[in-house]
Amino acid sequence: MRYHPLTMVFKIYHLVKNSLLFALILFVFQRNSEFWLYEYGRYAFVFMFVWRLVYIVIAWIFERYEWEGRTFHLHKGIFVKHTSTIPFSKIQNVTRKTGIIHKIFGHTSLTFETAMDGEDDAIHFEVLTKKHANYLLDLVKPGETTIPDEVHKEAKPLDESVDEYADKQEKDRTIHFTPMRKDLWKASFTSLSFLAILPFIGGAYDYFEPFLPETDQVEGLFQRLLANAWLFLGIIVLAVIVAVVFGMVRTFIRYGKYEISSDATYIYIDRGVLDESYFSIEKRKVQGLEINQTWIRRIFGLAEVKLISTANPNMENGAVNVNSLYPFLPIEKAYQLIEDLLPVYQLDVELARLPRKSLWIKLLRPSWLWILATIGLFYFKPDFLQIDQAWWILSLGLLCIIVLNRILDYLHTRYAVTSDQVQWWHGGITSRMFITKRKNVIEMSYSQTRLQKHFQVASVSTINRSVPAHIEIINDIPLTYARVIQDWYLKRQEDIRIDKEAN
Amino acid sequence: MHDIKLEHSLSPSFPTIKWITEAISNIIVFAVLGVLFWVNDYFGWPTWVFWILIGLVALSILGVIWSIAEPVLLYRSWSYQFDDEYLQLSYGILKKEWVTVPMTKIQSVSTSQGPIMKRYNTRSIKVETMGSSHVIPALEQQIALQLREVLAEYAKLKEVDE
């Protein structure tokens, strides 16, 4: 069937939005320019714009989608026809976004992501009715529901069994987390969101520069401001308040309405105040988990929990990372959440610490960064705060940070391997926890440099499926333990089943 | 870990092949450097260019020494083995690596052969997985083709849950 007609409106909106800047440059700021680039650019722009407009309409007429059994068929292209086939079973996760435009029309958008490579790796429905979205969501859900094996050319009324199934799903959902006001306050400060106003101001300045008075005048104004200490102080205080409020508003909009829930087989994340989004992933498609703690989050006792999955991490506009459960969870809450959502992961395992010799090797290892930076500093001897000897102070400072980072890395590193899972903490100033199941590790290696050989330690690295592949490395664990991990991995066959039918 | 040796090793002609390739690239490097010295002299470029060139020559000489020692060391360090579950590779001179790849996760296998490898009747095998790719640098042609078939056969198996 055809995509929803409002898809055209949505695409045209994006077209206008994306070409607005060019239009402004060509027809407003440089309207009197006779430079050939602008001269012909205007014609080219009009031509391209009209072409895109026509293309959107024609594409809507020709492009179709349908499903047959448990497979989507997408027909794309006007001149070059292109059909892609995506079985429901390949769908890894679902994202549903309701932007402001969608809200105005009471519609929503839907994306099914698969783990396939290439351009056909996702199915996008830019605009569709909420009812149809729900229908599609239920359709792709694996379950006892059997969809009749006929081609659906038109939207059918909801199947009764599907309906029941959906109801049951709805009831079984338990909510695990919604942020409190306190969490949001913390989030706003730990994310340093008040700094986010800087690029905003910069962008605004660039945008409005042509309308602002001459630079000399601005500088004159600035001089007068500096002369009046009280006024200057007042402006700074005002700026700080504006920045903090801006940061708070930004955090509340991004993380204010947030709900993590799950049922027996799925994890759901609903979020967003202005732009609503809904994300769901099947539990067994989670490849592993990661907890991230930057130093500032550690001070506040917060952590970010990330799912390792094949979901595309950079959705449009660099909005909230879809793989992140919630970036500002109190650490105990984070553990609790993992246990609730994915009970197969056991977090109460006792972790081993590194032996003392690992600290020595960490400190002994030459730091190429420091060596190069010091050579650079020595050669250029940059003037910094009018201190003559700045270069070696900076070099020393860098060395201190590197050493601190390594000591912290030693302190943070803890690891454990149990029957079918591996878990470790590592990292210095930013520490990270990684946990995964043996069957989800698609490759494992361990390595030993000459220095590590001398100390009888080794590094272990694992690869998990993700986009791009998720590589985890733990350094300087005792060689005997590295061998244990290797042997453990060689017994991987215990956890997996071979798909006989794929042959 | 240096003592660990897997079942199979590379083709015995690997060091020779490596020596020849390295020698060819070294000759090219020195030819380029020679031309640069000539150009430097001809156009009278500033003195620091001359010193940079001297530095490059010194580095290239170190490279030549390394390229004489490296092939044998690499040959000794390389070993691999495979069964119906895993492909294991072990290699590295300064840093020893031991890689384990489950057969079911292999996505593609390909062999390739350059003119020098052809002369010695060897082939290299490239194994690609979802997250990485590995090359076994030189195997006797027959063994390489056999291994390719074996890997391709095992790689057909897929795990449930994909």
Side-chain angles (χ1 to χ4, degrees), chain A residues 380-436:
Chain A
F380 293 108
K381 295 219 171 81
D383 250 356
F384 186 67
L385 301 174
Q386 276 95 43
I387 307 169
D388 277 348
Q389 304 289 315
W391 73 271
W392 66 263
I393 298 174
L394 285 176
S395 161
L396 203 68
L398 184 64
L399 185 67
C400 287
I401 292 172
I402 288 169
V403 168
L404 178 73
N405 193 34
R406 289 179 177 191
I407 294 174
L408 283 175
D409 185 26
Y410 165 72
L411 292 173
H412 287 152
T413 304
R414 280 174 293 153
Y415 50 92
V417 168
T418 50
S419 61
D420 69 336
Q421 82 176 12
V422 59
Q423 181 192 7
W424 61 56
W425 273 96
H426 69 126
I429 288 166
T430 296
S431 63
R432 299 169 54 228
M433 194 223 42
F434 167 70
I435 186 167
T436 190

Side-chain angles (χ1 to χ4, degrees), chain A residues 238-308:
Chain A
L238 193 73
V240 168
I241 292 172
V242 167
V244 169
V245 169
F246 180 82
M248 285 299 298
V249 170
R250 195 163 162 275
T251 311
F252 270 80
I253 287 174
R254 274 192 166 191
Y255 302 111
K257 218 178 103 210
Y258 212 101
E259 188 183 291
I260 301 171
S261 56
S262 76
D263 58 27
T265 47
Y266 278 83
I267 296 173
Y268 306 89
I269 304 172
D270 295 274
R271 69 181 144 219
V273 175
L274 293 179
D275 284 352
E276 280 170 29
S277 80
Y278 159 96
F279 173 79
S280 78
I281 182 167
E282 213 181 325
K283 281 183 182 178
R284 66 191 177 98
K285 287 188 172 145
V286 174
Q287 304 287 324
L289 287 161
E290 209 184 297
I291 295 181
N292 248 317
Q293 247 190 337
T294 56
W295 63 273
I296 192 157
R297 283 195 197 131
R298 194 169 321 117
I299 292 172
F300 284 90
L302 299 177
E304 173 173 29
V305 178
K306 278 184 180 172
L307 303 174
I308 300 166

